[in-house]
């Protein structure tokens, strides 16, 4: 070889390539000026350096030798090994070796391995085939070709190559291991397990084989055995990334989220830019009831993989847990932008739209999810839940039947069937379904907790309480324990064990605080002050709608748990009245009206348009009834706008002893929108603000627009006050209003059981049973609504 050939001239070896691309590569790395060029050692000395792992010394020894012995394929081969051992790019050295040793199968397959590492899979396969053409009995080349074919997704061909290697070399542990990987990719994990175990019988310290055995065991659902295999891999190699990742996955599937998170964090110390691990850590944190930390992990993963649809979906789940519904909907939307056919993202978007009260949109998203995945019992169950809230009980029941046909043991579907039964007052059927669900899944907190809502518990139900306590003491997600603690509180209250009841209710509320944003008292005060300032008498007069709607809405408002469901049930028992339940219409309308009023003042056309739209909503719900009850308690915040839009509407304001009211709220597992519900001080503050706002409405609305109805008076004299309500809404008396507990209709509030019972005074002054615990509420008794 002529060392004086220019780098851009054609190489003299006959390859047709430029010298710099052929025998002139790779460029020599000069030795440091103060280092002597070593004398040319013999080949055994060079091999000794390689075998002892002294790769840098080997490279420094080889480079000056190759400056004068460029034709030596053996030296280029050794340089390739030295570079590879240091994690450097060895491909040019191995190309030189393969070119100089065209009849050497090892040189060809070494180059094939380097090409595979660079992702040049077609060229890599050609090199391994060239090696096999030179030596068909070369087991290592068969194994290496198999690995390239596996990377190309040609798993059957890969398996055939691995089998050839094993036939030639039965004790070839790596080939057995690789065959196991190919078989698992072909969906044959049971065969894969056998191959990995054979590899480990030949090489017990083979960390990769332990890890891949674990993955095959996971495929068969053998999570504990899989975790054990991953642990053995980590004993052999504590930094084994795949083992750390998958033992975390296995532990997570076993419900051991804290241990899983520990393994994910260890792996991130080794590989901080591993997006999948950040994602899985987020999943573990979410299972641990830490949605804020989970969201941070998902966001970090998205920094690394912004187009990964699944990550946007997972972030949406964490935001949903945090009650950040609008942000969650945006995340699900981004997931769908990247993968429009994701049934999971459509289903999740449906769930958050349900939380936002956008039920029609939720139904549309869930219908699309069902089209994409018609075999999903979960999606059908979620769709049925939305249909239930839309009042489409028949459609909901039909979808739940389909879900149970797909999965007869679907616990969520059984619970949803129980909820439907309870809504229509079939409490025996509901209890039976909750018990069936708990039999299918003995550790299902929602199933076990649901039983308590179907009736009043008695000391004979002590086995229920024992099982509930056992479930609550298990390590479980905070949300699951919350549902159990509220149920245990009700059981204890039912049987008269009030100390035990409060202990469980307090525990439930404190747990809720761990995964929901704190209540913002300042924001609440500012919001209600804004309402008082905006909706004054002048605004109401200027915004008053001129055209009345055909229907006569009846609004029942007040604090939650103040008797609004009872008032609605009495009115809805009248043959001329339809009870529509809690409609979120005016909450949504208030956002538009408020913004428009700030921008340009009162607008009668706008309020009239909302009145007309509301009339259409009522007509769709109750086409045969002129009088329709909307018993959304929180409409107390929108009475100025409601009266302006619907001057003829009747408003019934339920009032109950404030301490009883707040304590009853504290004893229920309310939606995240009721952020004040989990703390007695927050409840007292909220009640004060509610009371101030109602005082404002009394001062700006006509005196005959609102009927003030004391709950305690209604309980004491039900006929007197029922007649007042009926007269107030402009209807003749009907005795069916006194038989309200027998009225067959759907009720979806916490009071669904109580409103189907005879009126009882047992809830009056209920707070006195808990007098030792209600200190922050006592100051409320000095207000106008005290009882």
């Amino acid at each position: 070889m002529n060392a004086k050939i220019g780098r851009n001239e054609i190489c003299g070896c006959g390859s047709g390539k430029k010298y710099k691309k052929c025998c002139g590569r790779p460029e020599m790395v000069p030795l440091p000026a103060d280092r002597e060029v070593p004398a040319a050692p013999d080949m055994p000395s060079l091999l000794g350096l390689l075998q002892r792992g002294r790769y840098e010394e080997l490279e420094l020894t080889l480079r000056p030798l190759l400056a004068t012995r460029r034709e030596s394929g053996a030296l280029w081969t050794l340089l390739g090994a030295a570079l590879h051992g240091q994690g450097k790019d060895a491909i040019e050295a191995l190309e030189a070796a393969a070119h100089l040793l065209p009849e050497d199968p090892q040189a060809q397959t070494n180059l094939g391995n380097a090409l595979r590492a660079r992702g040049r899979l077609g060229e890599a396969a050609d090199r391994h085939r060239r090696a096999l053409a030179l030596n068909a009995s070369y087991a290592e080349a068969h194994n290496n070709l198999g690995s390239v074919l596996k990377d190309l997704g040609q798993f059957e061909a890969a398996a055939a190559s691995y089998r050839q290697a094993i036939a030639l070399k039965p004790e070839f542990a790596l080939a057995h291991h690789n065959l196991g990987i190919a078989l698992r990719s072909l969906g044959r994990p049971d065969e894969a397990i056998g191959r990995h175990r054979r590899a480990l019988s030949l090489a017990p310290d083979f960390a990769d084989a332990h890890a891949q055995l674990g993955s095959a065991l996971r495929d068969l659902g053998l999570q504990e055995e899989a975790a054990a295999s991953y642990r053995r891999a980590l004993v052999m190699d504590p930094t084994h990334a795949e083992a750390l990742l998958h033992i975390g996955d296995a532990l997570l599937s076993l419900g051991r989220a804290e241990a899983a998170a520990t393994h994910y964090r260890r792996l991130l110390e080794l590989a901080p830019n591993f997006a999948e691990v950040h994602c899985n850590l987020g999943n573990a944190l979410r299972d641990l009831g830490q949605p804020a930390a989970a969201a941070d992990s998902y966001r970090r993963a998205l920094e690394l993989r912004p187009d990964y649809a699944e990550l946007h979906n997972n972030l949406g789940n964490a935001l949903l847990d945090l009650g950040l519904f609008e942000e969650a909907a945006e995340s699900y939307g981004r997931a769908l932008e990247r993968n429009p056919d994701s049934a999971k993202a459509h289903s999740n978007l449906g769930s958050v739209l349900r939380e936002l009260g956008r039920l029609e949109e939720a139904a549309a998203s869930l219908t699309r999810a069902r089209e994409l995945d018609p075999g999903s019992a979960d999606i059908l169950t979620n769709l049925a839940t939305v249909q239930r809230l839309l009042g489409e009980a028949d459609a909901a029941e039909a979808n739940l039947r389909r879900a149970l046909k797909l999965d007869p043991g679907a616990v969520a579907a059984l619970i949803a069937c129980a909820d439907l039964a309870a809504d229509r007052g079939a409490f025996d059927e509901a209890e039976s379904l909750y018990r069936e669900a708990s039999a299918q899944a003995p550790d299902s907190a929602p199933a076990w907790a649901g039983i308590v809502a179907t009736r009043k518990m008695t000391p004979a139900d002590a086995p229920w309480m024992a099982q509930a306590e056992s479930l609550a003491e298990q390590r479980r997600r905070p949300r699951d324990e919350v549902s159990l603690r509220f149920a245990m509180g009700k059981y204890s209250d039912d049987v008269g064990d009030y100390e035990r009841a409060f202990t469980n209710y307090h525990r439930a509320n404190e747990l809720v605080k761990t995964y929901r944003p704190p209540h913002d008292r300042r924001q609440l005060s500012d919001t209600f002050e804004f309402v008082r300032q905006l909706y004054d008498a002048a605004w109401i007069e200027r915004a008053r709608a001129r055209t009345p709607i055909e229907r006569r809405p009846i609004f029942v408002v007040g604090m939650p748990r103040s008797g609004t469901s009872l008032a609605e049930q009495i009115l809805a028992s009248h043959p001329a009245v339809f009870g529509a339940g809690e409609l979120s219409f005016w909450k949504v309308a208030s956002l538009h009206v408020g913004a428009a009023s700030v921008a340009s003042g009162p607008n009668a056309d706008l309020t009239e348009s909302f009145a007309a739209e509301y009339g259409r909503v009522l007509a769709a719900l109750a086409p045969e009834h002129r009088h329709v009850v909307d018993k959304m308690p929180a409409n107390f915040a929108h009475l100025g706008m409601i009266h302006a839009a619907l001057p003829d509407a009747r408003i019934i304001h339920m009032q109950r002893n404030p301490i009883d009211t707040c304590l009853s709220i504290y004893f229920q597992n309310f939606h995240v929108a009721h952020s004040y519900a989990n703390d007695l001080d927050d409840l007292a503050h909220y009640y004060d603000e509610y009371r101030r706002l109602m005082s404002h409405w009394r001062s700006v609305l006509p005196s005959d627009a609102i009927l003030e109805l004391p709950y305690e008076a209604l309980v004491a004299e039900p006929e007197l006050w029922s007649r007042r309500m009926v007269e107030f809404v402009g209807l003749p008396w009907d005795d069916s209003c006194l038989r309200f507990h027998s009225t067959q209709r759907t009720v979806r509030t916490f009071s669904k059981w109580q409103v189907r019972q005879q009126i009882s005074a047992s809830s009056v002054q209920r707070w006195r049973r808990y007098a030792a615990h209600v200190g922050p509420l006592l100051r409320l008794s000095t207000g106008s609504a005290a009882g």
Side-chain angles (χ1 to χ4, degrees):
M1 189 181 301
N2 186 352
K4 294 183 180 180
I5 295 177
R7 288 177 49 75
N8 290 309
E9 295 179 25
I10 299 299
C11 186
C13 72
S15 67
K17 298 179 181 180
K18 290 183 179 180
Y19 179 66
K20 69 180 180 181
K21 294 290 186 180
C22 188
C23 296
R25 67 179 189 285
E27 294 184 35
M28 295 297 103
V29 176
L31 291 172
D34 59 349
R35 184 181 177 96
E36 294 182 1
V37 176
D42 58 13
M43 187 58 69
S45 298
L46 294 171
L47 290 172
L49 293 174
L50 179 65
Q51 291 164 356
R52 292 193 296 276
R54 293 161 63 179
Y55 303 121
E56 182 180 8
E57 184 178 348
L58 177 59
E59 178 190 357
L60 292 172
T61 302
L62 286 167
R63 288 201 180 277
L65 293 177
L66 282 165
T68 57
R69 298 171 61 185
R70 291 181 177 274
E71 305 87 350
S72 173
L75 291 182
W76 285 112
T77 298
L78 285 172
L79 179 60
L83 293 169
H84 177 75
Q86 297 175 77
K88 296 180 179 179
D89 185 3
I91 197 165
E92 292 189 349
L94 294 174
E95 281 179 331
H99 174 70
L100 293 166
L101 301 171
E103 303 302 317
D104 184 346
Q106 183 176 358
Q108 304 307 317
T109 202
N110 285 347
L111 176 56
N113 290 339
L115 289 166
R116 178 191 173 213
R118 291 278 289 270
R120 293 159 62 180
L121 300 180
E123 297 172 70
D126 289 343
R127 286 293 171 174
H128 294 311
R129 290 191 177 106
R130 187 177 302 182
L132 289 169
L134 294 168
N135 180 5
S137 298
Y138 191 2
E140 284 77 6
H142 283 290
N143 177 73
N144 294 342
L145 176 59
S147 295
V148 175
L149 294 170
K150 172 178 68 67
D151 292 350
L152 288 166
Q154 301 173 24
F155 300 116
E156 289 287 4
S161 286
Y162 293 137
R163 291 186 194 280
Q164 285 273 30
I166 291 167
L168 293 164
K169 192 174 178 181
E171 307 302 302
F172 195 171
L174 180 59
H176 283 286
H177 167 66
N178 286 340
L179 177 55
I181 296 173
L183 290 168
R184 179 170 173 252
S185 298
L186 288 165
R188 290 145 65 181
D190 49 346
E191 296 178 58
I193 287 169
R195 288 297 174 174
H196 292 308
R197 285 182 170 149
R198 175 63 177 141
L200 289 167
S201 71
L202 297 166
D205 294 342
F206 193 170
D208 278 339
H210 283 293
Q212 289 294 339
L213 174 59
S215 296
L217 290 165
R218 277 189 70 207
D219 289 348
L220 291 176
L222 303 172
Q223 304 290 356
E224 291 285 4
E225 294 181 46
S229 283
Y230 293 133
R231 288 191 194 95
R232 283 190 284 273
L234 291 171
V235 169
M236 311 306 163
D237 178 4
T239 66
H240 194 289
E242 185 172 3
L244 283 166
L245 173 63
H246 291 313
I247 193 173
D249 295 345
L251 291 167
L252 191 58
S253 65
L254 288 166
R256 293 154 62 183
E258 192 167 343
T262 297
H263 284 83
Y264 294 140
R265 288 188 177 106
R266 282 178 58 194
L267 180 50
L268 287 172
E269 290 174 2
L270 301 168
N273 294 327
F274 198 159
E276 183 180 358
V277 184
H278 284 289
C279 176
N280 291 1
L281 175 59
N283 295 340
L285 292 168
R286 186 166 172 251
D287 277 359
L288 287 168
Q290 301 174 32
D296 289 342
S297 286
Y298 294 138
R299 289 188 182 101
R300 175 62 182 133
L302 282 167
E303 290 174 4
L304 300 166
R305 294 188 62 182
D307 292 326
Y308 188 9
E310 184 71 13
L311 275 169
H312 288 286
N313 180 74
N314 290 356
L315 176 57
N317 292 338
L319 295 170
L320 178 61
D321 290 345
L322 288 166
L324 302 173
F325 301 135
E326 294 287 357
E327 294 179 40
E330 291 174 6
S331 284
Y332 294 135
R334 284 190 285 271
L336 289 168
E337 287 172 5
R338 289 155 177 81
N339 182 8
D341 294 331
S342 170
K344 184 188 298 184
H346 279 291
S347 180
N348 289 338
L349 178 59
S351 296
V352 77
L353 290 171
R354 180 189 72 209
E355 297 290 348
L356 287 166
R358 294 155 60 181
L359 298 180
E360 290 80 5
E361 295 174 70
S365 287
L366 287 160
T367 298
R368 179 59 181 147
R370 182 187 59 185
E371 292 168 355
L372 291 165
D373 187 2
S376 170
D378 286 342
I379 290 172
L380 282 167
T381 300
N382 286 344
L383 176 57
T385 299
V386 171
Q387 290 168 328
R388 168 185 170 234
L389 296 174
L390 283 167
E392 301 169 3
D394 291 343
E397 192 165 351
N399 275 319
L400 289 173
R401 281 197 297 269
R402 294 187 189 102
L404 289 169
K405 187 174 181 180
L406 288 167
D407 182 1
V411 173
L414 287 169
I415 292 172
C417 285
D419 293 340
L420 269 178
D423 287 351
R424 64 174 186 268
F427 295 110
D428 289 344
E429 179 186 348
E431 180 173 356
S432 176
L433 287 164
Y434 286 131
R435 289 191 181 278
E436 183 179 348
S438 63
Q440 294 284 352
D443 62 346
S444 170
W448 199 244
I451 295 169
V452 177
T454 62
R455 58 184 171 84
K456 184 172 182 177
M457 305 298 276
T458 72
D461 295 304
W464 178 93
M465 184 62 165
Q467 175 65 8
E469 287 180 326
S470 175
L471 291 173
E473 288 168 4
Q474 295 173 11
R475 292 174 67 99
R476 56 192 318 120
R477 291 178 62 176
R479 290 175 183 274
D480 290 338
E481 185 180 343
V482 162
S483 64
L484 284 167
R485 292 290 177 184
F486 275 115
M488 291 159 67
K490 180 185 178 296
Y491 168 90
S492 301
D493 184 87
D494 284 351
V495 301
D497 190 346
Y498 303 122
E499 282 298 318
R500 192 181 193 187
F502 193 86
T503 296
N504 280 293
Y505 285 134
H506 179 71
R507 169 67 176 166
N509 282 287
E510 291 302 304
L511 279 170
V512 170
K513 293 179 187 178
T514 67
Y515 59 81
R516 284 188 187 164
H519 175 63
D520 189 335
R521 297 184 196 175
R522 173 60 64 84
Q523 182 183 50
L524 177 75
S525 297
D526 290 347
T527 299
F528 281 11
E529 178 62 21
F530 169 81
V531 171
R532 287 190 292 271
Q533 293 295 325
L534 178 63
Y535 298 105
D536 57 14
W539 185 97
I540 293 169
E541 184 59 33
R542 291 175 60 194
R544 190 182 303 278
R546 299 170 294 272
T547 306
I549 66 172
E550 181 181 354
R551 274 156 177 80
R552 290 292 300 273
I554 304 165
F555 292 92
V556 180
V557 303
M559 285 287 289
R561 308 300 293 168
S562 63
T564 54
S565 293
L566 175 58
E568 181 196 29
Q569 183 77 353
I570 292 170
L571 289 168
S573 299
H574 193 292
V577 179
F578 178 81
E582 299 181 352
L583 305 180
S584 59
F585 182 91
W586 294 103
K587 176 182 178 181
V588 177
S590 69
L591 299 175
H592 298 278
V593 173
S597 296
V598 170
S600 55
N603 186 327
D605 290 336
L606 181 61
T607 52
E608 191 164 307
S609 70
F610 276 110
E613 177 61 27
Y614 186 61
R616 289 189 285 271
V617 170
L618 298 186
L621 288 171
E624 299 178 359
H625 291 78
R626 186 163 179 254
H627 293 78
V628 182
V629 181
D630 180 344
K631 68 127 282 181
M632 173 62 77
N635 277 336
F636 77 79
H638 314 303
L639 293 184
M641 176 181 57
I642 288 171
H643 180 74
L646 303 163
D648 295 329
R650 301 289 81 191
I651 301 168
I652 296 172
H653 175 214
M654 290 299 302
Q655 297 185 76
R656 181 185 178 190
N657 177 290
I659 307 178
D660 278 338
T661 300
C662 292
L663 195 64
S664 188
I665 293 170
Y666 190 71
F667 287 174
Q668 301 295 331
N669 189 8
F670 267 95
H671 186 275
V672 67
H674 298 267
S675 59
Y676 58 88
N678 307 112
D679 184 274
L680 296 179
D681 284 301
D682 288 341
L683 273 161
H685 176 264
Y686 187 93
Y687 196 95
D688 278 336
E689 293 295 334
Y690 143 77
R691 194 152 49 185
R692 289 180 65 204
L693 188 53
M694 284 308 305
S695 178
H696 170 73
W697 297 134
R698 292 187 194 99
S699 70
V700 298
L701 297 184
S703 59
D704 62 350
I706 303 177
L707 172 65
E708 302 285 356
L709 202 164
Y711 171 79
E712 290 79 8
L714 176 61
V715 168
E717 299 180 277
E719 182 172 354
L720 172 65
W721 285 94
S722 296
R723 284 180 177 274
R724 286 190 184 180
M725 278 197 292
V726 172
E727 179 184 3
F728 176 70
V729 302
L731 287 171
W733 173 252
D734 192 290
D735 284 341
S736 60
C737 292
L738 294 178
R739 298 189 297 273
F740 66 86
H741 52 277
S742 301
T743 300
Q744 298 301 308
R745 57 183 290 268
T746 296
V747 180
R748 291 187 295 272
T749 69
F750 288 122
S751 300
K752 66 181 71 174
W753 184 81
Q754 288 91 335
V755 298
R756 293 185 170 97
Q757 313 305 310
Q758 297 270 4
I759 278 186
S760 166
S762 61
S763 293
V764 175
Q765 296 288 312
R766 181 189 184 195
W767 70 268
R768 297 192 182 279
R769 305 165 194 163
Y770 297 94
H773 305 288
V774 298
L777 303 177
L778 291 176
R779 64 180 175 79
L780 297 176
S781 64
T782 61
S784 61

